Amino acid sequence: MSNRRYGTALSAVASLVFALLYAPLFAVAVYSFNRAEKGSVWAGFSLRWYLQIVADPEVSRRAFEVREAALNTLLLGAASTLIATILGTLLAIGIQRTPWSKRAARLLDAAIDLPVVTPDIVFATALLVAFNVLRYVSPWFNPGLPAMIIGHVTLQIAFVALIVRSRLVLIGATLSEAARDLYATSAYHFRRVTLPLLWPAIVAGGTLAFTLSLNDFVISFFTCGPGSVTLPIYVYHSQMRGLRTDLFAVSTLFVLGTIGLVLTAEQLTRWRRD
Amino acid sequence: MSGHDVWYGDLTTRRSLLTRGGLLIAGGLGWLAAFLLIPCTVLIGVAFLERDPDGGLTWTLTLESLLRLVGLGGTDGVSGANLFILLRSLALALVTTIACLFLAYPVAFFIARARRRTLWLSLIIVPLCTNLVIRTYAWKLLLSARLPPAQIASWLGWAEPGRDLIPGWPAVIVGTTTACLPFAVVPLYINVDRLDWSIVEAAMDLYASPARVFRQAILPQTLPGLSVAVLLTLVPTMGMFVITDMLGGAKHWLIGNLISHQFGPGRNIPYGAALSMVLILFTTLCTYAYRRQQRAVELL
């Protein structure tokens, strides 16, 4: 009886939480079909803002800007994810599969724990100061896409390492020992035992890294240049002029795109597991 | 231990293992050192430099930025304004954390009791895949005067009719809480899922009140998940600036807004560095406290 009452209470709070998480996203999706140019007055259903985005970029300035921003976002995400996944995976293997002394192990743990909790504005300001010096060494550190990639990789490495490491702990030593007993060479052992077992974690880490990159606003905001505007920065700058319906359409497409990517990645890992 | 060791079935020496491990971690660790550790150290150093009139740096050591931070000097003179912003950030972070925990605990239990747990859990995580700027922009729409939340608030007498709920503290708190909620739910759920219910049942059999069941049978068991949840909501909220920027105004500035102002239009890099230093110290302190707590839990 009382168990049931608790169940109702839990469901009530859960509904509230899911409403809080999804209501804003649904509101944006609904209002992206609003005929009015701005504001929250419903002026009838229309697809014009979506048509505007997919219009010929030569004609529509909005379409051009949105495409450029989307391309930058994807490029930034792909490049930083690739680098961070490789570095993070190697870092995790190095930490977990080496007999470090207790002190070294504790330091290494801190090295991948601290970046995970550090507020992104700390990353951004630290990088800004570093780039101000490094700019004299190479033009790569000027505000722009390369600098943004470096910033995103710095944020992502620790997350990838954390996920891969927890999988390494789970895998344990038995299968490696078996492979060695059957005279597997180091390279063969890595390719045929470690890597396949680790693969789901590497994909999961990579997916997380990619969403972190898509999610990031602060690091990009501090390190971007004129030609490297990403979608979040574009939305941020445009929203200062108020609630604009075309921006709702851009946001809706971005949200759907991100969710689609994540679900695809999840499917991929599931296939590998089967 | 200089002789041979067997490591993952491989007959090798400790030395070659350490060399191999060192090579493996060199890339990632080097990257983190070059773009996070050293820059943070430099940043802390910059906090003690002087700003030249053009917004650059001069190589003179000064405590001006730190004095300005605590309200005892610098260009603001004696004023508590900056310290007030720091305290406000801390207060908002605490309110957000508490709100998240109050909402996340029931949700964690709800998911743990549900039949399709993976589905519910992914539904919690999916909004995280959406950019914070867009989610915050969405709140800006949802909290405008004509939509139900504002109308309900004015009907209840909490807000003036016909006015947006933005800018305002309720909007900011809703923004930060919803942004952090998934980070509180996931660790708590993982913990609740492994809960030893026999202890809870025993407490109920012995006529403990619901509050006491929670305090003595559930809370101690969920302490590890709880501390992760606190760490993952408290620290990031301290550094937030997008939400206050979009859902608040100058009256709602937090450390994050102050920092971004110093590196932007304010052009006072030493002061921005000093403010970032506060965040770095706060992060390190919280992580340290978390590790001590985790170690204490392991000992139990």
Side-chain angles (χ1 to χ4, degrees):
Chain A
M1 171 62 204
S2 84
N3 205 5
R4 195 155 182 189
R5 210 174 61 215
Y6 284 126
T8 324
L10 291 183
S11 309
V13 179
S15 328
L16 173 70
V17 165
F18 283 107
L20 281 172
L21 289 177
Y22 283 94
L25 298 181
F26 279 117
V28 166
V30 169
Y31 270 83
S32 66
F33 295 108
N34 192 358
R35 189 187 299 279
E37 197 181 336
K38 53 185 166 188
S40 55
V41 185
W42 183 258
F45 180 88
S46 157
L47 281 175
R48 60 189 279 209
W49 307 112
Y50 286 97
L51 294 174
Q52 193 192 34
I53 297 171
V54 296
D56 185 1
E58 299 277 310
V59 183
S60 161
R61 189 176 155 68
R62 197 60 154 181
F64 174 75
E65 288 173 347
V66 169
R67 274 179 209 198
E68 197 192 21
L71 196 69
N72 281 334
T73 313
L74 286 176
L75 210 62
L76 174 63
S80 58
T81 301
L82 186 69
I83 302 172
T85 308
I86 295 172
L87 289 179
T89 305
L90 293 179
L91 183 62
I93 297 176
I95 289 178
Q96 196 57 41
R97 293 269 165 103
T98 309
W100 298 109
S101 69
K102 221 169 190 169
R103 252 189 82 182
R106 199 174 296 169
L107 275 175
L108 287 170
D109 278 349
I112 60 173
D113 281 354
L114 266 176
V116 171
V117 282
T118 304
D120 35 14
I121 197 153
V122 172
F123 280 89
T125 49
L127 283 165
L128 203 62
V129 169
F131 289 164
N132 268 324
V133 180
L134 290 168
R135 193 146 52 200
Y136 298 104
V137 184
S138 152
W140 277 58
F141 298 107
N142 278 322
L145 213 50
M148 291 160 89
I149 293 174
I150 292 173
H152 281 206
V153 172
T154 315
L155 174 74
Q156 294 162 328
I157 287 180
F159 284 90
V160 177
L162 265 182
I163 290 187
V164 175
R165 190 184 60 171
S166 62
R167 174 86 185 168
L168 277 167
V169 173
L170 210 69
I171 293 171
T174 35
L175 285 167
S176 297
E177 281 164 3
R180 290 295 193 185
D181 286 347
L182 296 166
Y183 299 104
T185 60
S186 288
Y188 190 84
H189 165 245
F190 179 77
R191 203 157 42 87
R192 300 303 290 263
V193 179
T194 310
L195 209 54
L197 283 171
L198 220 47
W199 191 247
I202 296 175
V203 175
T207 313
L208 179 67
F210 193 70
T211 48
L212 280 173
S213 170
L214 291 181
N215 249 311
D216 171 72
F217 166 74
V218 179
I219 295 175
S220 307
F221 182 67
F222 276 86
T223 50
C224 80
S228 60
V229 170
T230 59
L231 275 176
I233 296 176
Y234 181 71
V235 172
Y236 178 78
H237 282 305
S238 317
Q239 59 88 28
M240 294 199 201
R241 279 169 276 156
L243 300 168
R244 297 170 61 92
T245 312
D246 59 346
L247 216 52
F248 294 150
V250 175
S251 303
T252 307
L253 289 179
F254 186 43
V255 171
L256 289 178
T258 324
I259 293 173
L261 275 169
V262 173
L263 292 182
T264 317
E266 221 215 307
Q267 281 301 318
L268 281 178
T269 39
R270 195 161 295 161
W271 282 337
R272 289 300 291 222
R273 238 176 282 149
D274 297 343
Chain B
M1 286 248 297
S2 57
H4 288 273
D5 274 340
V6 175
W7 186 255
Y8 285 83
D10 188 18
L11 184 66
T12 176
T13 62
R14 194 179 170 81
R15 190 149 178 199
S16 79
L17 277 175
L18 287 179
T19 320
R20 203 195 61 185
L23 285 173
L24 282 170
I25 63 171
L29 220 54
W31 189 292
L32 285 176
F35 297 112
L36 188 64
L37 186 65
I38 296 172
C40 278
T41 319
V42 173
L43 197 69
I44 292 174
V46 167
F48 295 95
L49 291 183
E50 204 171 68
R51 165 184 184 266
D52 74 14
D54 317 322
L57 299 170
T58 55
W59 295 105
T60 334
L61 287 178
T62 168
L63 285 175
E64 198 187 314
S65 297
L66 289 190
L67 287 175
R68 187 174 168 198
L69 193 76
V70 294
L72 288 176
T75 40
D76 299 338
V78 179
S79 116
N82 290 304
L83 207 57
F84 186 66
I85 290 182
L86 296 195
L87 291 176
R88 185 156 69 194
S89 310
L90 189 62
L92 179 72
L94 287 173
V95 168
T96 306
T97 307
I98 291 167
C100 280
L101 292 181
F102 264 99
L103 292 171
Y105 249 110
V107 174
F109 278 94
F110 171 81
I111 299 176
R113 287 164 55 125
R115 208 171 303 137
R116 308 188 63 182
R117 295 180 213 181
T118 331
L119 177 76
W120 288 111
L121 195 64
S122 3
L123 280 176
I124 287 282
I125 298 169
V126 160
L128 267 193
C129 306
T130 312
N131 194 283
L132 186 63
V133 173
I134 289 174
R135 272 181 287 156
T136 312
Y137 183 48
W139 277 114
K140 217 170 146 174
L141 166 71
L142 203 62
L143 295 177
S144 61
R146 282 168 205 281
L147 293 182
Q151 285 177 339
I152 293 171
S154 75
W155 183 70
L156 288 169
W158 292 348
E160 274 174 63
R163 280 275 293 277
D164 295 343
L165 295 177
I166 305 157
W169 282 114
V172 170
I173 291 171
V174 165
T176 50
T177 306
T178 47
C180 292
L181 249 176
F183 293 112
V185 172
V186 174
L188 275 176
Y189 161 73
I190 292 172
N191 207 157
V192 167
D193 200 35
R194 281 185 252 150
L195 204 67
D196 185 355
W197 284 98
S198 59
I199 296 176
V200 181
E201 277 162 20
M204 282 166 146
D205 287 347
L206 295 167
Y207 299 104
S209 64
R212 200 146 171 222
V213 169
F214 181 78
R215 209 176 61 233
Q216 296 194 324
I218 295 177
L219 194 63
Q221 288 196 66
T222 49
L223 223 47
L226 182 72
S227 43
V228 179
V230 169
L231 189 70
L232 289 183
T233 47
L234 192 65
V235 181
T237 319
M238 270 299 272
M240 260 176 193
F241 88 97
V242 179
I243 294 175
T244 36
D245 192 90
M246 288 169 69
L247 299 180
K251 269 192 256 165
H252 306 89
W253 268 25
L254 305 178
I255 307 185
N257 304 82
L258 211 53
I259 293 176
S260 111
H261 180 76
Q262 303 307 328
F263 281 93
R267 293 188 65 74
N268 190 340
I269 293 173
Y271 188 49
L275 290 162
S276 298
M277 185 175 80
V278 173
L279 278 185
I280 295 173
L281 289 178
F282 183 75
T283 310
T284 321
L285 208 71
C286 286
T287 318
Y288 179 73
Y290 163 75
R291 300 200 132 224
R292 296 263 329 232
Q293 198 268 333
Q294 290 293 74
R295 226 169 287 155
V297 168
E298 270 166 34
L299 285 176
L300 277 175

